Amino acid sequence: AVLCTADGTTPTVNSPICSSPITLTSTTTIKAIAVATGFNNSAVASGTYTIQAGTASGAYVVAVTAKSGSISQSTHVNVTVQ
């Protein structure tokens, strides 16, 4: 599972699962980890998304999607900005 935070704090095993898009209306730091039973937690992946006034109308939506299946020693998390 991919667990994430959008408040700048480091995610833990108690953080919510990133299963739906995150709506951004201001500059936000998203941090995520991958966890699976029997494996070490991944390193923290982090991205800061800067929302500049006057560049677009409405909010940006960030979707975090992880590959399905088994988690190996190295797991990549893709972040798509729509």
Side-chain angles (χ1 to χ4, degrees):
V2 176
L3 311 177
C4 65
T5 61
D7 61 2
T9 60
T10 299
T12 69
V13 295
N14 296 317
S15 296
I17 294 175
C18 298
S19 60
S20 60
I22 300 169
T23 300
L24 305 179
T25 57
S26 62
T27 298
T28 303
T29 298
I30 297 174
K31 295 183 179 184
I33 58 172
V35 299
T37 302
F39 292 91
N40 292 331
N41 295 348
S42 72
V44 176
S46 177
T48 299
Y49 300 87
T50 302
I51 309 302
Q52 297 178 346
T55 58
S57 60
Y60 290 92
V61 175
V62 176
V64 177
T65 306
K67 293 180 180 180
S68 61
S70 299
I71 295 178
S72 64
Q73 289 295 93
S74 176
T75 300
H76 295 275
V77 177
N78 299 319
V79 176
T80 303
V81 179
Q82 302 172 332

